[in-house]
Amino acid sequence: MEEKEARKGAMTAAESGGKITYFVVASCVMAAMGGVIFGYDIGVSGGVMSMGPFLKRFFPKVYNLGEEDRIRRSHNNKNHYCLFNSQLLTSFTSSLYVSGFIATLLASSVTRSWGRKPSIFLGGVAFLAGSALGGSAQDVAMLIIARLLLGVGVGFANQSVPLYLSEMAPARYRGAISNGFQLCIGIGFLTANFTNYETQKIKEGYGWRISLATAAVPASILTLGSLFLPETPNSIIQTTGDVRKAELMLRRIRGTDDVQDELADLVEASSESNSNAQQHGFLNLLQRRYRAELVMAFAIPFFQQVTGINVVAFYAPVLFRTVGFGESGSLMSTLVTGIVGTASTFLSMLVVDRIGRKTLFLVGGLQMLASQVIIGVIITVAEVRDGVIGERYGYAVVVLVCVYVAGFGWSWGPLGWLVPSEIYPLEIRSAAQSVTVAVSFVFTFAVAQSVPPMLCKLQAGIFFFYGGWVAVMTVAVQLFLPETKNVPIEKVAGLWEKHWFWRKMTTKRDSQGTTSVSS
């Protein structure tokens, strides 16, 4: 009840917070290209891993096992679950997240000291270099180095772009605009799937080069576009202290001269940020008064990764080949799931600021849980009855994977980026966002490395494993996350002070000299 009253009070400020302007839309669309490069990379890596010429050139052992498996399947051999269980092969995918983890921690200092724009620019440059090297790779070493450069690009982009979008957006539209990042991830993923589907038809066998090199297109757009992006008012005040310049920018992006209330919030938040400047942002985050934010900085990206989405994102072509589709069929099935995911994320953009974050978390969680359990049951029954997964079971798995992807697409997909970008106070925002992205990279790396051996050992049980985590996170979000719908970004801290659980810790903020926004 108290939480609802806090949000209601904050909405009045939001209602006078301006409108969506062409300037904001153009800026956010350009910045959100950072999501396209991330999504393209996720989609392209899984696709080329299922291409015969790519495997034959760089991972011949896996390729030879694949050829042998075609014979074994006809004899009801279940070894196909272990077909892609190669640590060298998974290193191709997961090496990106090692460099991404380091890069996002470095990006925190860049974003805080020099602004959001420089981080976005550096992300685009690194990704551009990685895509060029990947497309021209001659051996595994070049592939891995390319992946490391791509990781630097993704690390900087994922740290800065969600902050940029969240700070540029008016409060009442922040959910829709920030969800544009996940929509762009979906567009990038879908583009990669389409590219893979077309390039695998090239008989000469160099299609994988085109798939990897095409990543340079969105990277070039992001790099050049970042040079023309405006800096956010929050960042202007934080990095330069120029209130007048921030006011002019605020008027331009809000489309109104009535920005004094929002400007006052920004100045107050910046003043508090400066009062804590003697401590490093990461040390500030460890203070008791930020305990709720710290927990969410770890919990949200962890939960996002253990939804099992990367089983689909990285290994969808591999998964569909495992359940009976050929190379072309598996890539087509992945393309279909990409379309479903992108469409569901677009739907989330339309409704997130109307029905709220927690409702989407609940609906999407239940949908993902049900589809994962049913997929596990179908595969188990098919293996027991027929010894192999026939085509009719394979189509059922594709449909259920689409249901699962849709659930993720309007819940944990976009909200896993939106919620962290809006719940942190300015003084810890850059550091906390870096922690969020770093945790995401750590567990993405863990998932990428563990899925092939888990699929080999657990087989259909892998879906029950991730389904259990979806049940846990669905309950946890409903209990411990406040609703941030329509709350101005610099007022969100007041929600923690009203929350039934976190108020025991956040009430300490006043006694430690921090101004309470809910008083």
Side-chain angles (χ1 to χ4, degrees):
M1 184 67 181
E2 289 178 332
E3 182 183 325
K4 290 182 179 180
E5 290 175 357
R7 289 195 297 107
K8 184 177 180 181
M11 262 192 279
T12 303
E15 289 170 356
S16 61
K19 57 187 178 181
I20 294 183
T21 63
Y22 172 78
F23 187 64
V24 167
V25 172
S27 300
C28 290
V29 167
M30 183 59 65
M33 289 300 293
V36 175
I37 65 174
F38 186 36
Y40 187 90
D41 179 80
I42 294 173
V44 78
S45 58
V48 298
M49 281 167 54
S50 70
M51 294 184 184
F54 176 82
L55 293 175
K56 187 175 182 179
R57 181 182 183 93
F58 297 105
F59 308 98
K61 291 183 180 180
V62 177
Y63 175 78
N64 291 334
L65 285 174
E67 293 301 303
E68 294 172 7
D69 184 65
R70 296 181 183 180
I71 300 175
R72 290 175 176 173
R73 289 181 69 87
S74 63
H75 294 88
N76 295 347
N77 189 296
K78 297 185 180 182
N79 190 56
H80 52 272
Y81 283 108
C82 303
L83 177 59
F84 292 89
N85 185 19
S86 165
Q87 287 302 307
L88 183 61
L89 180 60
T90 55
S91 294
F92 163 71
T93 297
S94 56
S95 57
L96 176 147
Y97 300 99
V98 176
S99 59
F101 169 79
I102 298 172
T104 192
L105 297 178
L106 296 176
S108 173
S109 296
V110 176
T111 302
R112 179 181 176 85
S113 301
W114 288 288
R116 284 49 169 157
K117 282 182 58 177
S119 284
I120 295 174
F121 174 77
L122 290 174
V125 170
F127 199 90
L128 183 60
S131 60
L133 187 60
S136 60
Q138 299 298 316
D139 51 39
V140 175
M142 287 185 68
L143 278 180
I144 300 301
I145 293 173
R147 296 291 293 172
L148 293 174
L149 285 171
L150 293 173
V152 173
V154 170
F156 272 89
N158 284 12
Q159 195 277 340
S160 54
V161 170
L163 293 184
Y164 186 91
L165 298 177
S166 188
E167 291 177 348
M168 287 291 283
R172 74 181 104 171
Y173 303 115
R174 189 173 63 245
I177 291 178
S178 295
N179 277 7
F181 183 68
Q182 177 64 28
L183 178 65
C184 286
I185 292 177
I187 291 173
F189 183 74
L190 182 60
T191 302
N193 290 336
F194 179 78
T195 303
N196 288 334
Y197 181 71
E198 291 298 323
T199 58
Q200 58 89 25
K201 299 177 182 178
I202 299 176
K203 295 180 180 180
E204 289 79 3
Y206 60 83
W208 61 270
R209 290 192 182 277
I210 297 177
S211 292
L212 294 179
T214 302
V217 175
S220 299
I221 296 173
L222 178 67
T223 303
L224 295 176
S226 65
L227 299 176
F228 301 96
L229 286 177
E231 192 56 271
T232 70
N234 314 60
S235 184
I236 291 172
I237 293 179
Q238 186 179 42
T239 56
T240 69
D242 192 336
V243 178
R244 177 58 179 167
K245 184 178 179 181
E247 181 180 3
L248 293 176
M249 180 58 66
L250 201 56
R251 289 179 178 179
R252 187 176 184 187
I253 65 178
R254 296 292 179 258
T256 178
D257 292 333
D258 184 17
V259 297
Q260 293 307 311
D261 288 343
E262 185 174 0
L263 181 65
D265 289 339
L266 297 184
V267 172
E268 180 181 355
S270 179
S271 177
E272 175 151 334
S273 177
N274 292 333
S275 70
N276 289 300
Q278 66 273 16
Q279 279 193 309
H280 194 280
F282 291 109
L283 295 179
N284 280 334
L285 191 55
L286 297 176
Q287 296 179 28
R288 178 182 171 85
R289 55 180 168 169
Y290 301 124
R291 188 62 50 78
E293 290 91 337
L294 179 62
V295 170
M296 291 302 165
F298 277 89
I300 291 177
F302 168 74
F303 283 148
Q304 187 186 45
Q305 296 310 313
V306 295
T307 55
I309 187 59
N310 286 328
V311 177
V312 176
F314 291 145
Y315 298 109
V318 173
L319 175 65
F320 290 137
R321 287 188 68 174
T322 299
V323 298
F325 291 94
E327 178 179 322
S328 179
S330 68
L331 290 173
M332 173 57 76
S333 299
T334 307
L335 179 61
V336 171
T337 60
I339 293 173
V340 171
T342 304
S344 61
T345 300
F346 181 74
L347 178 61
S348 178
M349 290 179 62
L350 299 179
V351 302
V352 64
D353 290 312
R354 297 181 181 180
I355 67 177
R357 284 68 162 152
K358 294 177 72 171
T359 300
L360 286 175
F361 272 129
L362 178 62
V363 174
L366 293 176
Q367 185 174 334
M368 288 190 292
L369 175 60
S371 56
Q372 284 176 314
V373 171
I374 297 174
I375 289 173
V377 170
I378 287 178
I379 294 178
T380 301
V381 170
E383 292 281 11
V384 171
R385 290 183 58 184
D386 302 331
V388 293
I389 305 171
E391 187 173 296
R392 59 185 180 129
Y393 292 113
Y395 284 118
V397 169
V398 171
V399 171
L400 287 165
V401 166
C402 288
V403 174
Y404 165 81
V405 169
F408 181 85
W410 54 55
S411 62
W412 278 98
L415 300 183
W417 295 105
L418 164 62
V419 173
S421 72
E422 64 184 1
I423 63 175
Y424 306 134
L426 182 62
E427 63 268 21
I428 63 168
R429 188 171 298 153
S430 181
Q433 181 67 14
S434 287
V435 171
T436 296
V437 178
V439 171
S440 178
F441 281 144
V442 167
F443 285 101
T444 303
F445 174 82
V447 168
Q449 288 291 112
S450 63
V451 164
M454 284 180 66
L455 187 61
C456 181
K457 297 288 185 181
L458 299 179
Q459 299 182 9
I462 194 171
F463 295 100
F464 299 118
F465 172 80
Y466 286 113
W469 278 112
V470 170
V472 170
M473 68 185 71
T474 301
V475 174
V477 163
Q478 299 305 311
L479 291 178
F480 300 112
L481 184 69
E483 178 58 70
T484 55
K485 179 182 68 173
N486 291 331
V487 181
I489 192 169
E490 304 302 348
K491 293 288 189 181
V492 172
L495 301 181
W496 300 110
E497 298 172 7
K498 295 292 186 179
H499 191 274
W500 70 273
F501 181 80
W502 299 114
R503 63 185 175 188
K504 301 173 185 177
M505 301 174 191
T506 56
T507 50
K508 292 287 186 180
R509 295 185 182 188
D510 287 334
S511 64
Q512 295 181 25
T514 301
T515 303
S516 172
V517 295
S518 62
S519 59

